[in-house]
């Protein structure tokens, strides 16, 4: 008897080994065992598995239904019954089996994910969504996934990747492992691989809310806004209501320029829970953009009432420019600094935001020495958090200038996308660019959008081909672009910016200041686009930027020498381009615009080929949304206070003035 049992065990082991590679052979072996022992449960299971793999799911289904009736506590049989039913198209039976399986083994994620897929096939979407979420919950206790997550959080990316790759080699349809691997790639900086993996995780488990949330954030980072909106719309329909889903939708709306919709979301969430400082701050940002200054002030003050150490809210209040913080505000901010320092956070984001805010408050009181000390401390802390190599940047600018010569532009001037739609306003922040945009957006044929990142994304992608050694240098990469390539890149820009255009006006403004670095590329791919260089006195412009904390993108602005060098690089490239393509760029000098507004507007509209309209002179009456630091200033007539304001701080500005050198005298030439 023992010998017979041993023979059956060996035959079973052989049959199991044959299941994947030779299911017909496995079936024969299982049936031989069943002739000797008709009720053997494992042999009956292997028989069903082999039948399904051999392409006969209907027979397998009947066999498994019989086995489950006789062995109701055998999870493997229930699992096989579910898979056979699925392949046979019997989705009701598959769902019933999987519901039974998940009761037997609630912490086995695969059962939940298969249940979700079957429910979706049957049109039971809400149940499918909840099943996916249960699968994610079950996965949260999986030791291998936990180990991979720990490795990722400790920046041991290779270890985490090895764990996940091994798991996916065994079960490639694991959505949680797929999403986690996507995050590892994202943290490594491989955005393309991360996007592919996270999109796959969402496709495998559409109810995996955390994966969809992550996907939306990746799409936002890549400026794929219509897709982000589509995914956010799905996420907000989740049967598990979460305020974070609606917050993410509001972020998408803000990026798309749908400020009213974002405002409605924030107001609704605050009606449910009014003591959320982050919500108040977000609402304030939208109200500021819409021009509702009194409401924005109230919202920012609510934020610091609920969280007095919330540095960004203090800075948002100070950054309204037209607001003056009083003695009580200064005392509250000084107290907040003391609290943060006692808490062991002497260099956090709240700290530097509050230093910038105190700098503005004390500047408004004409206490310039104390104001400068706070600005300097805020800049010192912020500079330590960002990377900017002035030598490296200067070399990149010089390489760009060397490519776009008069001969090169003349040779390539017939290519690119011929659309005349974009008007690029370039220069440095705090140079009067928002004023120029507001003037143009007050014309009947021009739509104002915002600081768009599309050209920066295209330029960055091209530069990455040099960085990854596909080309030896920038010159070789640009030389490789055919006329068709240039046309395609220009068309890509037009298509990508379409999401930001809310009207049928033929022209639109892209106010990304950093696009001065790409004027040659703009000419190459969009030869009919217009470029306006908004320029302000170097000391005034650089100092204004130095005491302005930017949310992102201006890493050079936190050190006086860095910003002085940046201004010189900007002037040099624009001068080189002026020589290579005379008249291609129209320059607006801020001080001239202030002195002779009507004349400068007339000159600018003539460059654009647009008729003069009086609305451009009364630009402050335009109620459009404005997102930049000058949002409140451009809702008033031009004032001259800021032109020479830097003189109050002149004794502290030697590093900047010395770095700028003769740029101070040449900037308007």
């Amino acid at each position: 008897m023992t010998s017979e049992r041993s023979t059956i065990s060996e035959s079973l082991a052989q049959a199991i080994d044959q299941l994947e590679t030779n299911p017909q052979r496995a079936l024969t072996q299982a049936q031989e065992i069943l002739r000797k022992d008709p009720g053997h449960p494992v042999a009956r299971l292997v028989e069903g598995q082999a039948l399904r793999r051999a392409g006969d799911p209907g027979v397998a289904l009947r066999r498994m239904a019989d086995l489950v009736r006789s062995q109701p506590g055998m999870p493997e049989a229930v699992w096989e019954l579910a898979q056979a039913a699925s392949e046979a198209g019997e989705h009701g039976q598959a769902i019933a089996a999987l519901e039974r399986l998940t009761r037997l083994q609630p912490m086995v994620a695969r059962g939940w994910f298969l249940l979700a897929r079957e429910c979706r096939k049957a049109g039971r979407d809400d149940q499918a969504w909840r099943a996916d979420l249960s699968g994610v919950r079950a996965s949260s206790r999986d030791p291998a996934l936990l180990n991979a997550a720990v490795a990722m959080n400790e920046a041991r990316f290779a270890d985490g990747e090895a764990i996940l790759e091994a798991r996916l080699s065994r079960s490639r349809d694991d959505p949680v492992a797929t999403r986690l691997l996507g995050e590892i790639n994202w943290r490594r900086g491989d955005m393309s691989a991360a996007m592919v993996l996270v999109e796959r995780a969402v496709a495998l488990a559409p109810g995996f809310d955390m994966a969809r949330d992550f996907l939306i954030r990746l799409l936002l980072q890549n400026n794929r806004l219509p897709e982000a909106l589509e995914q956010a719309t799905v996420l907000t329909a989740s049967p598990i209501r979460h305020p974070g889903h609606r917050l993410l939708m509001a972020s998408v709306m803000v990026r798309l320029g749908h400020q009213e919709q974002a405002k409605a979301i924030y107001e609704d969430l605050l009606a449910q829970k009014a003591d959320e400082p982050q919500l108040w701050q977000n609402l304030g940002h939208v109200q500021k953009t819409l021009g509702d200054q009194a409401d924005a002030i109230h919202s920012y003050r609510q934020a610091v009432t609920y969280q007095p150490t919330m540095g960004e809210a203090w800075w948002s209040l100070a950054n309204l420019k037209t607001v003056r913080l009083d003695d009580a505000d200064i005392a509250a901010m000084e107290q907040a600094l003391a609290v943060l320092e006692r808490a062991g956070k002497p260099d956090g984001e709240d700290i530097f935001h509050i230093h910038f805010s105190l700098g503005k408050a004390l500047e408004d009181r004409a206490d310039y020495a104390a104001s400068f000390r706070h600005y300097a401390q805020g800049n010192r802390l912020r500079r330590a958090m960002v990377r900017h190599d002035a030598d490296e940047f200067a070399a990149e600018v010089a390489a760009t200038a060397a490519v776009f010569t008069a001969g090169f532009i003349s040779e390539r001037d017939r290519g690119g996308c011929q659309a005349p739609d974009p008007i690029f306003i370039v220069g440095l922040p705090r140079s009067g660019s928002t004023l120029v945009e507001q003037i143009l957006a007050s014309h009947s044929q021009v739509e104002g959008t915002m600081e768009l990142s599309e050209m920066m994304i295209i330029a960055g992608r091209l530069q990455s081909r040099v960085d990854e050694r596909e080309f030896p240098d920038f010159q070789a990469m640009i030389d490789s672009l055919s006329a068709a390539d240039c046309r395609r890149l220009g068309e890509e820009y037009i298509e990508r910016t379409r999401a930001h255009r809310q009207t049928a006006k033929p022209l639109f403004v892209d106010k990304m200041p950093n696009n001065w670095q790409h004027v040659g590329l703009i000419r190459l791919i969009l030869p009919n686009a217009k470029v306006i260089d908004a320029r302000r006195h170097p000391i005034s412009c650089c100092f204004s930027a130095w005491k302005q904390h930017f949310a992102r993108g201006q890493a050079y602005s936190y050190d006086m020498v860095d910003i002085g060098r940046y201004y010189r690089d900007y002037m040099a490239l624009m001068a080189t381009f002026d020589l290579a393509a005379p008249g291609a760029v129209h320059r607006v000098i801020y001080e001239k615009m202030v002195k002779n507004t009507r004349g400068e507007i007339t000159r600018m509209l003539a460059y654009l080929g647009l008729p003069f309209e009086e609305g451009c002179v009364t630009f402050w009456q335009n109620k459009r949304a404005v997102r930049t630091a000058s949002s409140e200033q451009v809702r008033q007539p031009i004032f001259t206070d800021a032109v020479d304001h830097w003189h109050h701080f002149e004794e502290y500005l030697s590093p900047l003035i010395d770095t700028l050198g003769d740029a101070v005298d040449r900037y308007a030439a």
Side-chain angles (χ1 to χ4, degrees):
M1 192 67 160
T2 303
S3 174
E4 186 177 339
R5 282 201 299 269
S6 176
T7 301
I8 288 174
S9 296
E10 289 175 8
S11 296
L12 265 178
Q14 291 171 4
I16 291 168
D17 286 343
Q18 294 286 326
L19 273 172
E20 297 301 332
T21 57
N22 192 346
Q24 198 62 53
R25 174 63 180 152
L27 177 61
T28 300
Q29 288 180 292
Q31 289 175 340
E32 285 176 1
I33 295 168
L34 289 171
R35 278 194 290 273
K36 298 174 185 175
D37 185 357
H40 197 296
V42 178
R44 293 172 69 188
L45 173 62
V46 173
E47 179 190 32
Q49 292 172 323
L51 282 165
R52 180 172 65 83
R53 285 167 171 77
D56 204 345
V59 177
L61 174 58
R62 291 194 293 275
R63 296 283 197 278
M64 289 302 97
D66 290 341
L67 178 58
V68 168
R69 276 193 291 272
S70 64
Q71 301 286 335
M74 188 178 183
E76 301 92 332
V78 181
W79 172 258
E80 187 57 38
L81 170 61
Q83 295 197 87
S86 176
E87 291 185 21
E90 299 291 343
H91 302 302
Q93 278 188 264
I95 291 170
L98 288 162
E99 287 174 336
R100 182 174 187 168
L101 179 66
T102 52
R103 287 194 297 271
L104 287 169
Q105 295 183 319
M107 298 315 296
V108 176
R110 289 178 65 202
W112 289 110
F113 291 130
L114 186 56
L115 174 59
R117 287 196 283 274
E118 291 304 312
C119 287
R120 241 171 231 107
K121 291 175 186 175
R124 292 156 65 168
D125 291 341
D126 188 75
Q127 185 182 354
W129 206 317
R130 292 177 184 276
D132 275 334
L133 291 170
S134 295
V136 173
R137 192 159 46 246
S139 295
S140 68
R141 299 191 183 181
D142 185 288
L145 292 174
L146 288 171
N147 289 337
V150 168
M152 177 184 72
N153 290 325
E154 293 177 352
R156 293 185 289 109
F157 300 135
D159 293 343
E161 184 177 44
I163 294 168
L164 296 169
E165 292 283 12
R167 185 186 186 89
L168 289 168
S169 69
R170 297 189 301 271
S171 178
R172 64 182 303 272
D173 290 342
D174 184 331
V176 179
T178 303
R179 192 213 72 86
L180 194 53
L181 186 57
E183 184 171 350
I184 286 176
N185 278 275
W186 173 72
R187 293 195 187 198
R188 275 178 163 164
D190 190 344
M191 180 66 80
S192 297
M195 187 73 77
V196 169
L197 287 161
V198 179
E199 285 178 330
R200 174 164 170 74
V202 171
L204 288 170
F208 190 175
D209 288 349
M210 286 179 59
R212 196 178 298 275
D213 180 295
F214 188 30
L215 176 59
I216 294 165
R217 295 176 194 278
L218 294 180
L219 291 167
L220 288 173
Q221 287 181 27
N222 284 270
N223 221 39
R224 289 164 55 179
L225 302 183
E227 293 164 86
L229 177 59
E230 181 182 339
Q231 295 293 341
T233 302
V234 175
L235 185 61
T236 54
S238 172
I240 307 302
R241 299 299 180 192
H242 193 290
H245 298 166
R246 299 188 66 204
L247 274 175
L248 193 52
M249 171 63 89
S251 297
V252 175
M253 290 296 182
V254 166
R255 289 283 297 276
L256 283 165
H258 302 328
Q259 308 295 335
E260 290 287 359
Q261 291 95 320
K263 177 184 173 186
I265 293 172
Y266 292 137
E267 288 176 339
D268 185 52
L269 290 170
L270 283 166
Q272 299 170 42
K273 197 173 191 307
D275 60 348
E276 291 288 341
Q278 188 66 52
L279 280 175
W280 281 111
Q281 178 177 276
N282 291 354
L283 177 59
H285 292 340
V286 170
Q287 291 165 330
K288 168 193 166 184
T289 301
L290 290 169
D292 303 332
Q293 188 184 79
D295 290 338
I297 292 169
H298 171 73
S299 295
Y300 291 141
R301 289 201 175 281
Q302 286 291 95
V304 296
T305 297
Y306 288 116
Q307 187 178 327
T309 59
M310 193 173 191
E312 188 181 345
W314 280 114
W315 173 243
S316 299
L317 192 60
N319 199 32
L320 285 169
K321 307 303 181 189
T322 53
V323 170
R324 289 178 175 261
L325 300 175
D326 59 22
D327 290 348
D329 294 323
I330 292 172
M333 287 189 284
E334 289 173 340
Q335 175 64 25
L337 280 180
V339 169
L340 290 166
E341 287 167 356
R342 284 198 301 272
K345 300 177 180 178
D347 56 357
E349 292 199 4
D350 287 318
I351 291 273
F352 73 69
H353 275 117
I354 292 174
H355 278 300
F356 276 103
S357 305
L358 282 166
K360 172 64 166 58
L362 293 165
E363 180 182 355
D364 289 342
R365 293 160 63 101
D367 188 348
Y368 300 118
S371 168
F372 186 85
R373 285 197 298 274
H374 280 290
Y375 281 138
Q377 180 67 352
N379 274 288
R380 185 187 66 79
L381 292 172
R382 186 70 179 113
R383 181 66 180 88
M385 298 178 184
V386 298
R387 182 190 178 280
H388 176 71
D389 186 319
D391 291 333
E392 183 180 295
F393 182 77
E396 290 177 4
V397 172
T400 302
V403 170
F404 294 102
T405 62
F408 181 87
I409 291 173
S410 174
E411 179 186 331
R412 297 294 196 100
D413 236 10
R414 292 178 297 279
C417 170
Q418 300 300 307
D421 306 26
I423 302 169
F424 293 90
I425 301 176
V426 305
L428 266 71
R430 313 298 298 141
S431 64
S433 57
T434 304
L435 171 62
V436 173
E437 179 194 36
Q438 185 77 347
I439 289 168
L440 292 178
S442 301
H443 195 283
S444 62
Q445 295 185 47
V446 182
E447 179 175 1
T449 57
M450 60 184 79
E451 294 181 357
L452 306 180
S453 58
E454 279 74 12
M455 187 58 65
M456 302 283 288
I457 289 171
I458 291 170
R461 194 170 71 232
L462 293 175
Q463 179 61 43
S464 70
R465 300 176 70 185
V466 180
D467 298 339
E468 293 167 6
R469 313 286 187 187
E470 183 181 346
F471 295 96
D473 53 34
F474 184 75
Q475 174 85 58
M477 185 275 295
I478 291 293
D479 284 342
S480 76
L481 298 177
S482 67
D485 292 331
C486 294
R487 183 177 63 255
R488 176 180 50 77
L489 289 170
E491 290 169 350
E492 177 188 341
Y493 173 85
I494 295 295
E495 187 58 36
R496 289 177 68 111
T497 54
R498 205 173 301 282
H500 301 285
R501 300 177 71 174
Q502 311 297 322
T503 73
K505 294 180 180 181
L507 306 177
F508 72 97
V509 175
D510 179 341
K511 201 188 76 67
M512 175 60 75
N514 309 61
N515 279 332
W516 67 264
Q517 301 165 42
H518 309 304
V519 287
L521 178 63
I522 290 169
R523 180 59 176 258
L524 192 62
I525 69 174
L526 289 161
N528 292 323
K530 299 294 187 180
V531 180
I532 295 173
D533 176 11
R535 189 170 293 191
R536 181 179 171 191
H537 187 284
I539 301 175
S540 181
C541 182
C542 292
F543 177 60
S544 183
W546 180 80
K547 61 192 181 79
Q548 171 75 45
H549 173 252
F550 297 99
R552 62 184 180 275
Q554 315 299 347
Y556 62 86
S557 68
Y558 303 106
D559 178 271
M560 287 195 184
V561 173
D562 285 347
I563 198 170
R565 291 188 62 182
Y566 186 91
Y567 194 100
R568 290 185 68 92
D569 289 333
Y570 146 71
M571 273 187 58
L573 182 64
M574 297 306 293
T576 301
F577 193 77
D578 285 343
L579 290 172
V585 173
H586 177 80
R587 190 155 290 114
V588 173
I589 304 299
Y590 177 74
E591 291 77 16
K592 292 182 180 179
M593 178 67 80
V594 170
K595 189 174 181 180
N596 179 19
T597 305
R598 182 177 291 270
E600 288 299 307
I601 290 173
T602 301
R603 197 169 69 89
M604 181 168 60
L605 293 176
Y607 161 75
L608 296 173
L610 294 174
F612 181 85
E613 291 183 2
E614 192 65 31
C616 294
V617 180
T618 56
F619 59 85
W620 64 87
Q621 297 174 1
N622 189 335
K623 301 304 181 184
R624 61 179 283 269
V626 182
R627 292 182 62 183
T628 63
S630 304
S631 60
E632 297 311 309
Q633 292 164 311
V634 299
R635 293 189 172 103
Q636 306 171 40
I638 287 179
F639 56 92
T640 61
D641 298 2
V643 172
D644 295 317
H645 188 73
W646 63 272
H647 285 293
H648 295 303
F649 294 86
E650 188 168 2
E651 64 181 292
Y652 310 112
L653 304 184
S654 295
L656 172 61
I657 295 170
D658 292 346
T659 303
L660 287 168
D662 64 355
V664 174
D665 300 317
R666 294 189 298 107
Y667 84 99

